[in-house]
């Protein structure tokens, strides 16, 4: 049963016997492993509760909005929040929960084709910062919205990466061909028309905000609109690369589009690195209005994408870590979830655990107000375990399972990494049913901080050969079609002599 095979389970630090008292054990207790177990499984439960085939996609409050006019209209904020709502779906094998997002993006693509043509004179389709159940694709703010979010043209592009994850984790080529590729292709067409060459012939985007930060212009005033933000370049690069992968996977006869994509990739402007070693959020080395800004779009190439990696782009990867360090800990729920996932992706389990501990701290402030009172009091957990901005949003709760899973199993860049960001204090545990690119599912157990068992299940009707890495060692394995394979724990090929133990 494919669905049963993909049902994820978390047991971090061993389950505590008896019943749980939420206030004593989870909100006030100091057992972070127990908290991580509960918040991961709670997030999976919430996603299955608020997103099912035939229902609307999960929005900012999910199905738990209690207001006639809720914060942010309980809409779809597609410059991070909607995407985060669904990061866990392919990782946890929640195919049914993912369907409403796919349907929403299909509706956006239909409406966004008119917007691309009439507003920008472009092919394909476009969506901006915000949408709703009717698939709104125009900019928002009625001409008065802050340009740091109202005029962002990459919302649709980012959503296509969620769709690609659904294909890559599940490996369903029929789904890719019938529903994902048409949407992906339209986003590619818009992107190709939106890119413009600079004086050196490098392709850039303009105008270009970086959600939702601003910088000081030459007149000393804060402005959000610049030339070619890092997030634009990373989203576009990832989209074009994945489009070529889709053309290859589906054996499509589309040489004109493939050539156009290849040419654009070769001419795409590089992401810059500032004089202080950080990724440059904009193409110029400017001073941010909010240096600790909660949005982390300059490093989205590290997570949820995989265009910025230690192996592929080491200098940019290090620059991304420096930006993460500069942004520091703390924020609000969804930003915490993203920071945890990013720290896990770079192998920093200790900081990931510390951030999770912050995020799961009880919130004793006013849960109805918007934002911090003095710039420091952001949200934590409400008594019902909902994470708050404040006010309440569901995105953090839905993002936590993906971030926590990233600490135990990663599969970007063609390598399956086991326990890549295990905190030292989480000495014992087991996770089951964690999705692995492409079409695999992993069960992993550890004791006294060491891997004791790893099993790969193949969901596909074809053999899958993968490189599996743990503790500085790597082995190449073939998992038979529809079968199961145990990963050898111990003697495997050493990555480098300096890594041998």
């Amino acid at each position: 049963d494919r669905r049963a095979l993909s049902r994820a389970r978390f047991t971090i630090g061993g389950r505590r016997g008896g019943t749980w008292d939420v206030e004593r054990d989870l909100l006030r207790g100091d057992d972070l492993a127990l908290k991580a177990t509960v918040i991961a499984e709670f997030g999976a439960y919430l996603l299955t509760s608020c997103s099912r085939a035939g229902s609307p996609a999960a929005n900012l409050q999910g199905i738990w909005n209690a207001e006639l006019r809720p914060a942010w209209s309980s809409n779809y904020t597609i410059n991070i929040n909607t995407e985060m709502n669904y990061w866990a779906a392919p990782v946890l094998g929640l195919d049914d929960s993912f369907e409403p997002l796919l349907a929403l993006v299909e509706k956006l693509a239909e409406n966004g084709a008119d917007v691309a043509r009439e507003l920008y004179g472009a092919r394909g389709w476009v969506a901006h910062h915000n949408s709703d159940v009717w698939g709104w694709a125009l900019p928002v703010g009625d001409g008065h919205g802050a340009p740091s979010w109202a005029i962002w043209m990459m919302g649709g592009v980012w959503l296509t990466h969620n769709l690609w994850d659904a294909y890559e984790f599940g490996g369903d080529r029929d789904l890719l061909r019938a529903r994902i590729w048409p949407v992906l292709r339209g986003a590619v067409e818009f992107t190709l028309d939106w890119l413009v060459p600079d004086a050196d012939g490098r392709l850039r985007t303009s105008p270009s905000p970086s959600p939702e930060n601003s910088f000081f212009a030459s007149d000393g005033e804060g402005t959000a609109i610049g030339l070619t933000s890092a997030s634009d370049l990373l989203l576009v690069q990832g989209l074009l690369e994945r489009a070529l992968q889709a053309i290859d996977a589906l054996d499509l006869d589309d040489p004109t589009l493939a050539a156009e994509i290849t040419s654009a990739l070769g001419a795409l402007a590089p992401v810059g690195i500032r004089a202080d070693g950080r990724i440059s959020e904009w193409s110029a080395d400017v001073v941010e209005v909010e240096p600790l800004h909660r949005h982390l779009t300059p490093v989205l190439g590290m997570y949820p994408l995989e265009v910025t990696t230690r192996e592929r782009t080491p200098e940019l990867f290090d620059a991304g870590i420096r930006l993460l360090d500069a942004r520091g800990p703390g924020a609000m729920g969804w930003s915490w979830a993203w920071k945890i996932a990013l720290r896990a992706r770079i192998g920093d389990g200790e900081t990931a655990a510390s951030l999770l501990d912050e995020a799961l701290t009880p919130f004793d402030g006013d849960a109805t107000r918007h934002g911090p009172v003095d710039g420091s009091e952001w949200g934590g957990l409400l008594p019902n375990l909902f994470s708050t901005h404040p006010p309440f949003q569901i995105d953090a709760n839905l993002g936590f399972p993906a971030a926590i899973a990233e600490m135990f199993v990663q599969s970007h860049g063609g390598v399956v990494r086991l326990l890549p960001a295990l905190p030292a204090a989480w000495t014992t545990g087991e996770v089951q049913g964690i999705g692995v690119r492409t079409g695999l599912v992993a069960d992993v157990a550890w004791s006294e901080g060491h891997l004791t068992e790893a099993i790969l299940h193949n969901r596909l009707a074809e053999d899958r050969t993968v490189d599996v890495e743990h503790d500085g060692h790597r082995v190449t394995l073939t998992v038979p079609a529809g079968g199961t394979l145990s990963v050898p724990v111990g003697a495997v090929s050493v990555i480098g002599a300096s890594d041998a133990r």
Side-chain angles (χ1 to χ4, degrees):
D1 184 338
R2 176 172 171 172
R3 189 177 302 276
L5 180 65
S6 303
R7 188 65 63 189
R9 291 289 181 265
F10 294 83
T11 309
I12 307 167
R15 290 189 184 275
R16 187 175 291 172
T19 59
W20 287 326
D21 182 295
V22 169
E23 180 71 12
R24 183 194 68 223
D25 293 341
L26 301 184
L27 292 179
R28 305 294 172 183
D30 59 1
D31 188 343
L32 183 58
L34 170 63
K35 292 181 180 181
T37 297
V38 174
I39 210 68
E41 296 211 343
F42 184 52
Y45 165 76
L46 293 175
L47 183 56
T48 60
S49 299
C50 71
S51 183
R52 302 179 182 182
S55 76
N59 56 31
L60 280 173
Q61 281 81 30
I63 57 175
W64 297 279
N65 167 51
E67 306 294 330
L68 183 62
R69 180 67 177 180
W72 309 285
S73 301
S74 198
N75 273 340
Y76 300 105
T77 304
I78 57 176
N79 67 7
I80 174 57
N81 310 90
T82 304
E83 289 86 354
M84 179 179 288
N85 279 356
Y86 285 92
W87 285 349
V91 178
L92 306 186
L94 300 175
D95 300 344
D96 187 68
S97 294
F98 182 80
E99 167 61 28
L101 181 67
L102 177 53
L104 174 65
V105 178
E106 289 174 325
K107 185 178 298 183
L108 267 173
E110 181 180 354
N111 295 341
D114 293 335
V115 177
R117 182 181 63 255
E118 299 296 329
L119 193 60
Y120 300 115
R123 297 171 293 168
W125 66 277
V126 63
H128 295 79
H129 146 274
N130 201 275
S131 188
D132 57 22
V133 293
W134 296 277
W136 178 269
L138 282 161
V140 295
D142 196 26
H144 304 288
S148 61
W149 46 265
I151 196 61
W152 195 55
M153 297 81 173
M154 293 286 116
V157 173
W158 196 345
L159 285 169
T160 64
H161 289 293
N162 284 79
L163 272 54
W164 181 260
D165 282 344
Y167 158 67
E168 200 167 30
F169 278 97
D172 187 341
R173 287 196 188 92
D174 292 337
L175 177 67
L176 177 63
R177 185 183 302 277
R179 300 185 65 186
I180 295 177
W181 171 244
V183 173
L184 199 67
R185 192 184 198 284
V188 167
E189 289 180 322
F190 172 78
T191 297
L192 292 171
D193 287 354
W194 182 244
L195 292 169
V196 293
D198 62 15
D200 298 320
R202 305 309 300 263
L203 294 178
R204 299 183 177 276
T205 58
S206 178
S208 178
S210 181
E212 296 178 13
N213 209 352
S214 300
F215 62 92
F216 291 105
S218 57
D219 61 2
E221 296 296 320
T223 183
I225 300 298
L227 176 65
T228 319
S229 66
S231 58
D232 281 8
L233 290 171
L234 295 165
L235 286 167
V236 167
Q237 180 185 348
L239 171 66
L240 298 182
E241 290 178 349
R242 287 171 167 178
L244 289 178
Q245 293 178 52
I247 290 172
D248 181 65
L250 298 175
D251 195 23
L252 297 174
D253 183 18
D254 202 341
T256 301
L257 181 65
E260 198 174 355
I261 293 170
T262 302
S263 175
L265 275 172
L268 198 63
V271 175
I273 298 176
R274 295 167 54 108
D276 61 9
R278 289 182 289 154
I279 278 182
S280 182
E281 189 161 0
W282 291 271
S283 57
D285 196 349
V286 294
V287 177
E288 305 100 317
V289 172
E290 296 181 67
L292 303 181
H293 201 274
R294 60 201 176 277
H295 276 260
L296 298 161
T297 46
V299 290
L300 60 76
M302 299 166 70
Y303 186 98
L305 276 61
E306 52 181 298
V307 297
T308 309
T309 68
R310 182 175 281 114
E311 297 78 14
R312 181 182 182 186
T313 55
E315 291 185 3
L316 198 62
F317 188 82
D318 289 342
I321 295 175
R322 290 190 180 94
L323 186 140
L324 270 180
D325 291 342
R327 291 289 167 94
M332 74 289 293
W334 64 260
S335 188
W336 265 312
W338 198 356
K339 289 179 179 180
I340 295 164
L342 281 160
R343 288 294 175 178
R345 179 60 65 91
I346 68 176
D348 185 0
E350 300 308 320
T351 303
S354 176
L355 289 166
L356 181 64
D357 198 24
E358 288 182 11
L360 303 187
T361 300
F363 180 70
D364 296 323
D366 181 0
T368 64
R369 63 172 170 74
H370 185 140
V373 173
D374 58 4
S376 62
E377 186 191 6
W378 287 106
L381 283 192
L382 300 173
N384 64 351
L385 302 189
F386 280 177
S387 180
T388 187
H389 189 284
F392 158 67
Q393 291 179 203
I394 200 61
D395 39 29
N397 284 100
L398 304 187
F400 287 142
I404 293 169
E406 195 74 11
M407 300 169 76
F408 305 122
V409 181
Q410 297 177 15
S411 59
H412 59 282
V415 178
V416 180
R417 296 169 177 87
L418 305 177
L419 304 182
L422 181 68
W426 295 0
T427 57
T428 302
E430 180 179 3
V431 292
Q432 298 175 322
I434 306 299
V436 170
R437 303 171 179 91
T438 296
L440 302 178
V441 177
D443 300 334
V444 177
W446 67 96
S447 180
E448 298 182 357
H450 297 288
L451 182 70
T452 57
E453 184 179 47
I455 300 173
L456 295 176
H457 309 272
N458 189 348
R459 299 171 63 178
L460 305 180
E462 58 187 69
D463 293 352
R464 292 287 297 118
T465 298
V466 293
D467 290 335
V468 181
E469 179 180 310
H470 171 65
D471 199 21
H473 298 76
R474 185 177 295 179
V475 61
T476 301
L477 301 171
T478 298
V479 189
T484 296
L485 184 71
S486 293
V487 177
V489 178
V492 294
S493 300
V494 180
I495 296 175
S498 62
D499 296 320
R501 294 192 174 205

